[in-house]
Amino acid sequence: MTVLVPVAELADVVRSKNAGPFELTLDVVFTRREQFDLVARERAISREWVAEAYGVPVADVGEPVYYAPARAVKITLRRPLVSGAVGETDVYGAQQHGPLLALRLPAAP
């Protein structure tokens, strides 16, 4: 049986940031190489999961990039409003990582 663990227990960094006026970048940087390797091998962070968590179409989510040298996964998604537009509340995109915290991943031994 696979044990699923909250991402916050497996990663040193879970963040969002501005990726220009039209996109946000989501980053997950894992604490341990074994954990990153498991998540990368299983492609446990998917466009579909991110789309569901953020309530956006899958077409608005880029393919996750698994970057082994940094033990990191990077996902880019289209902003619902252009950065700085009327009604937009997070011009830097630094407060958009909340839905990522609901992610539960298989734990490496």
Side-chain angles (χ1 to χ4, degrees):
M1 182 168 109
T2 302
V3 176
L4 298 178
V5 177
V7 68
E9 293 180 21
L10 304 171
D12 289 328
V13 176
V14 178
R15 70 179 174 204
S16 61
K17 59 187 175 187
N18 189 28
F22 305 107
E23 296 178 321
L24 294 169
T25 295
L26 309 172
D27 297 318
V28 178
V29 181
F30 291 94
T31 305
R32 296 176 39 235
R33 166 70 52 200
E34 298 81 11
Q35 185 61 50
F36 169 82
D37 290 343
L38 174 63
V39 169
R41 187 172 50 253
E42 293 189 7
R43 295 297 193 232
I45 299 175
S46 68
R47 292 176 67 207
E48 293 76 17
W49 186 91
V50 172
E52 183 177 329
Y54 280 83
V56 299
V58 173
D60 286 355
V61 179
E63 193 63 41
V65 175
Y66 290 85
Y67 186 64
R71 301 181 320 273
V73 182
K74 180 179 287 289
I75 307 107
T76 302
L77 67 146
R78 187 173 301 143
R79 286 176 170 270
L81 295 172
V82 175
S83 178
V86 173
E88 199 276 327
T89 60
D90 186 9
V91 70
Y92 297 112
Q95 298 178 36
Q96 304 307 309
H97 62 283
L100 278 181
L101 298 175
L103 181 60
R104 298 179 66 84
L105 296 168

